[in-house]
Amino acid sequence: MISEAVLETLRELVPEEDIHMQEPLAGHTTFRVGGPAECLIAIESDEQLRKLQRYLRMVDIPFFVLGNGSNTLVRDAGYSGIILQVGKKMSSIRVDGDCIVAQAGALLSQVAKEALEHGLTGLEFASGIPGTVGGAVVMNAGAYGGEMSQVVTDVTVLNSEGEILVLDNATMEFGYRYSTIRHQPFVVTNVSFQLKAGDQEQIRTKMEELAARRREKQPLEYPSAGSTFKRPEGYYAGELIMKAGMRGFQIGGARVSDKHCGFIVNVGNATAADILDVIAEVQERVKERFGVALEMEPVVL
């Protein structure tokens, strides 16, 4: 429970209109499910974020930094603590030659669009990824043979003391859907990309081709968190799920996509419990049939 004393301090650090109590999180995640956050704060600057996260650590109040909510599943009971939403108010994008610097709240698709407009190649794979830059770099988001590790030069973060650190590509220790930030008390504020000059029409054509492939192969018409499972070594999650006879398997409003079995989708009024139950059943069946343990990709709050 957030005390009145804590709320008074929050109001000193943040305009009151940016503090939202008992904010439903279904509207802040791409799964479109989840209960309320005890408090959600819309962050508008690096300095505000620095002060807030340092204060919340000091008074030992749990918090979670949320971007576009594209890789997050919020439980039906909601989140007991404070959501720091890094989004539209922290979304500036600056192009400098063949480099792009973006704030953590910028949509990755928007950064890819800026690259296109400036004739820069390297981010075509990211044009259809729905997350923010901050979330994408934390999980080393990727698609169609590209991933963040290939284009990110450095990442600016805040540590638990509120100090600014700049992590270069090697320090990020990028791996499959992994970076060192996943296990560090760091909050991303800015990301720098190194791209290359390219032919604008070729870049546009590549983006259009990838968009068409997404529409053909992925269930974009339903709310989801993208690929529900990480790719197990030597296999494809969607293929294993299909071969286990789980295509179209449904509990409540949560369903294994008929179009791509690697996606669990909200076909209407799903609860987080429905989604978690489908995930558990899929994991059990695939484990029984193939001896492969599927690991969830979304973060569960």
Side-chain angles (χ1 to χ4, degrees):
M1 190 74 175
I2 299 172
S3 69
E4 188 57 40
V6 168
L7 281 174
E8 285 182 14
T9 302
L10 294 178
R11 292 186 190 110
E12 292 173 4
L13 298 174
V14 182
E16 187 152 12
E17 62 267 24
D18 290 337
I19 301 174
H20 307 277
M21 304 303 295
Q22 294 300 314
E23 177 70 12
L25 291 176
H28 296 280
T29 66
T30 58
F31 252 137
R32 296 292 181 257
V33 302
E38 193 172 356
C39 175
L40 181 145
I41 299 174
I43 305 298
E44 62 182 23
S45 70
D46 295 12
E47 181 62 15
Q48 193 182 77
L49 183 59
R50 184 185 72 81
K51 290 178 179 178
L52 277 169
Q53 65 102 31
R54 186 176 182 184
Y55 170 70
L56 294 175
R57 292 184 198 276
M58 183 179 71
V59 296
D60 198 27
I61 291 178
F63 68 91
F64 182 79
V65 180
L66 182 72
N68 197 42
S70 60
N71 199 49
T72 308
L73 174 59
V74 180
R75 294 183 187 274
D76 299 313
Y79 182 72
S80 181
I82 296 179
I83 297 290
L84 302 179
Q85 187 170 45
V86 178
K88 291 181 181 179
K89 295 188 176 187
M90 271 187 66
S91 61
S92 71
I93 302 169
R94 177 171 54 86
V95 181
D96 184 9
D98 56 5
C99 298
I100 295 181
V101 179
Q103 285 188 296
L107 289 173
L108 192 55
S109 57
Q110 189 61 41
V111 179
K113 183 179 177 183
E114 285 288 329
L116 167 63
E117 291 178 358
H118 287 81
L120 298 174
T121 184
L123 272 174
E124 290 88 337
F125 75 91
S127 57
I129 295 177
T132 58
V133 166
V137 78
V138 169
M139 67 170 291
N140 190 23
Y144 300 109
E147 60 183 20
M148 298 294 280
S149 64
Q150 298 167 358
V151 289
V152 169
T153 53
D154 54 69
V155 180
T156 303
V157 301
L158 299 170
N159 68 9
S160 59
E161 301 301 315
E163 299 169 326
I164 298 171
L165 304 177
V166 179
L167 312 179
D168 64 16
N169 187 290
T171 305
M172 286 292 292
E173 298 179 0
F174 286 119
Y176 175 64
R177 301 298 174 264
Y178 175 85
S179 77
T180 190
I181 298 176
R182 297 202 81 154
H183 299 293
Q184 297 284 352
F186 295 158
V187 178
V188 178
T189 61
N190 293 273
V191 178
S192 297
F193 300 86
Q194 177 65 61
L195 304 176
K196 296 178 180 178
D199 180 88
Q200 192 174 49
E201 285 311 306
Q202 289 182 3
I203 296 168
R204 189 189 313 278
T205 298
K206 180 67 172 178
M207 287 183 173
E208 290 172 351
E209 288 174 354
L210 294 181
R213 287 173 65 182
R214 282 189 177 89
R215 288 192 298 271
E216 179 187 356
K217 301 290 187 182
Q218 297 179 11
L220 303 181
E221 66 272 25
Y222 293 113
S224 77
S227 297
T228 308
F229 302 99
K230 294 181 180 179
R231 187 178 67 241
E233 190 171 350
Y235 301 92
Y236 291 100
E239 185 177 13
L240 292 176
I241 295 165
M242 181 181 66
K243 288 181 176 179
M246 299 294 284
R247 182 193 295 275
F249 177 80
Q250 185 168 336
I251 296 176
R255 182 180 178 92
V256 175
S257 169
D258 296 89
K259 184 181 284 188
H260 189 314
C261 291
F263 286 64
I264 292 172
V265 295
N266 177 358
V267 296
N269 300 314
T271 64
D274 291 340
I275 294 168
L276 288 168
D277 286 346
V278 171
I279 288 171
E281 188 67 24
V282 166
Q283 289 173 320
E284 183 176 342
R285 298 254 194 115
V286 169
K287 181 71 171 178
E288 284 178 358
R289 178 83 183 270
F290 303 105
V292 176
L294 292 180
E295 183 181 351
M296 272 186 68
E297 192 165 298
V299 174
V300 180
L301 287 187

